[in-house]
Amino acid sequence: MANPSKITEGGVVYSLGHFDGKQVRYDFSKVLTYLDAKGKLLFGRKFQIHPEDREVLLKLCNYMVRDHASCRKQGIDPNKGILLSGPVGCGKTSLMKLIRFITPHYRPYEIIPARNVVFGYNHIGHRIIEDYGNGHFYCFDDIGVEPMGRHFGKDCNVMGEILLSRYELFLESGLRTHGTTNLNAQELEERYGKRVRSRMRELFNLIAFDQSARDKRGHPPKGEGPVKEKQRKR
């Protein structure tokens, strides 16, 4: 890519910052403008970036653009994956679908609903665990609320097994895995056990919405608009 700081969508060129020929100095306000436009293309004209999501978005952006200095300040390890947590409907899945578009020059991850993984196991058995324990980039959506797998009368905690496989891949090759979840740490441990929960701590950076974050799938509060952010260079 000639200039990774510029992205064209619908015939419009969006600048995300300044490219000096070696690296991009991202401008968060410009990134937000692009994400708002891209979100409307992906999810419809009612999509908007909410002011209360700014802190979560800033962390996700710093992670995605590999801003190591900002990641250190925010306690994020850029070599690990992201586990985005928060209440139902707060926008986790939409943000994980959206945020990958700001770095088209990096290898993208595929978003897979955890329940679909289990349905696959129910159909073809253990091979599904092998299939997702490969070298591809994945973001597993809604981790922890998927049903228990069952194939030929045998129960299996499918996502727990896959997370263990992805952890081994992470140790061997540094391959990152992402996910979203509605559950807190205690609930995840109850769902998967202490061993998997321990591996998840090493596999993921936890980025969390406030537990009071509202369900954005309803109507937005009257008068609310997109985030307006002063320009700042990163």
Side-chain angles (χ1 to χ4, degrees):
M1 179 176 293
N3 188 344
S5 71
K6 296 187 182 301
I7 300 177
T8 302
E9 296 286 354
V12 179
V13 178
Y14 294 90
S15 173
L16 306 185
H18 174 69
F19 182 53
D20 63 8
K22 294 183 179 180
Q23 64 179 3
V24 179
R25 292 184 177 274
Y26 287 91
D27 184 323
F28 187 47
S29 65
K30 293 181 178 180
V31 173
L32 287 178
T33 298
Y34 167 70
L35 290 176
D36 184 67
K38 182 65 176 179
K40 285 177 169 58
L41 290 174
L42 288 176
F43 309 120
R45 295 189 58 81
K46 290 185 178 180
F47 173 84
Q48 61 180 275
I49 292 174
H50 299 271
E52 65 266 29
D53 297 341
R54 178 192 174 280
E55 183 177 350
V56 168
L57 261 173
L58 181 60
K59 290 179 179 179
L60 289 173
C61 287
N62 285 334
Y63 175 85
M64 292 301 296
V65 304
R66 319 297 288 164
D67 185 334
H68 290 262
S70 294
C71 283
R72 279 196 299 272
K73 291 178 182 178
Q74 295 169 326
I76 297 170
D77 183 348
N79 295 314
K80 295 163 64 170
I82 292 292
L83 181 63
L84 186 59
S85 73
V88 173
C90 68
K92 302 180 297 297
T93 305
S94 295
L95 289 189
M96 290 306 290
K97 287 180 177 178
L98 182 60
I99 202 72
R100 55 188 171 169
F101 288 99
I102 66 174
T103 52
H105 50 298
Y106 291 156
R107 184 180 172 188
Y109 52 82
E110 183 179 357
I111 296 180
I112 307 291
R115 62 185 289 115
N116 289 6
V117 177
V118 175
F119 294 156
Y121 175 86
N122 294 345
H123 181 60
I124 65 174
H126 192 78
R127 198 184 83 197
I128 202 75
I129 296 174
E130 297 174 355
D131 288 346
Y132 285 109
N134 59 26
H136 293 291
F137 283 176
Y138 294 115
C139 173
F140 295 106
D141 192 33
D142 274 342
I143 291 175
V145 296
E146 75 280 355
M148 182 69 71
R150 189 173 182 83
H151 184 69
F152 282 105
K154 183 178 180 180
D155 289 338
C156 178
N157 193 327
V158 180
M159 280 308 305
E161 293 297 325
I162 288 174
L163 289 171
L164 290 175
S165 296
R166 300 295 296 184
Y167 172 73
E168 293 301 323
L169 279 173
F170 173 67
L171 293 183
E172 293 169 6
S173 63
L175 185 71
R176 294 186 299 278
T177 301
H178 306 304
T180 72
T181 186
N182 301 331
L183 305 186
N184 59 35
Q186 182 60 39
E187 291 168 331
L188 286 169
E189 184 169 312
E190 291 172 0
R191 179 69 174 83
Y192 296 118
K194 290 185 178 180
R195 182 176 177 227
V196 174
R197 177 60 187 140
S198 174
R199 300 297 187 266
M200 290 177 74
R201 289 191 185 96
E202 298 180 59
L203 192 60
F204 296 120
N205 293 285
L206 177 64
I207 296 180
F209 283 87
D210 192 282
Q211 285 303 305
S212 64
R214 61 187 172 84
D215 188 335
K216 301 181 181 70
R217 293 174 299 188
H219 296 291
K222 186 177 180 180
E224 182 178 274
V227 170
K228 300 296 183 183
E229 176 73 14
K230 292 182 180 180
Q231 289 191 358
R232 52 185 286 187
K233 292 189 176 181
R234 308 204 64 80

